[in-house]
Amino acid sequence: MGKVRAHILIEGLVQGVYFRANTVEVAKARKCSGWVRNTYEGGVEAVIEGEEADVRSLIDWCRKGPTIARVDHVAVDWEAYTGEFDGFTAAP
C-alpha cells in the first residue's frame, strides 16, 4: 500500500458537535498525521497523511462523525504524500 495524503471537506451539522476534537482522537488512534479545522462556510476541512488503510479508515469515520453530528457530504481529493506533519492537530 504505502503512504498517502487526502484533503477532505465535510459538510452538514459538523460544527459545535466536537467533530474536530473527535477527529484528532480518531486520527491519533489510526497513526495518521495532519490537521483539521472549521471552515467559514460551516463545514470541516482536514488534511490527512499516513498509511493508505489508516487514512481510508479515518475518512470512513468522517463520513459519520461523532454521534451528535450529521454528515451530508464528504469530498476527498487525493494529493501527493509529503510527510510534512508531526502528529495530528485541530486548528482553532
Side-chain angles (χ1 to χ4, degrees), residues 3 8-9 11-12 16 25-28 35 48 52 57 63 67-68 71 77-78 82 85 87-88 92:
K3 304 255 187 184
I8 64 173
L9 294 171
E11 298 173 350
E25 290 178 19
V26 174
K28 288 180 177 180
W35 53 263
I48 308 161
E52 183 176 357
S57 176
R63 293 183 194 283
T67 311
I68 56 177
V71 177
D77 286 322
W78 295 97
T82 65
F85 304 113
F88 199 94

Side-chain angles (χ1 to χ4, degrees), residues 6 9 18 21 29 33 35 51 58 72 76 78-79 82 87-89 92:
L9 294 171
Y18 301 99
S33 60
W35 53 263
E51 293 295 330
L58 180 54
D72 295 333
V76 180
W78 295 97
E79 302 174 347
T82 65
F88 199 94
T89 59

Side-chain angles (χ1 to χ4, degrees), residues 22-61:
N22 281 270
T23 302
V24 170
E25 290 178 19
V26 174
K28 288 180 177 180
R30 287 165 173 73
K31 298 184 174 88
C32 292
S33 60
W35 53 263
V36 60
R37 67 181 176 200
N38 287 335
T39 67
Y40 291 113
E41 295 80 22
V44 170
E45 176 182 24
V47 172
I48 308 161
E49 288 193 340
E51 293 295 330
E52 183 176 357
D54 297 327
V55 171
R56 287 184 181 277
S57 176
L58 180 54
I59 292 169
D60 287 343
W61 179 86

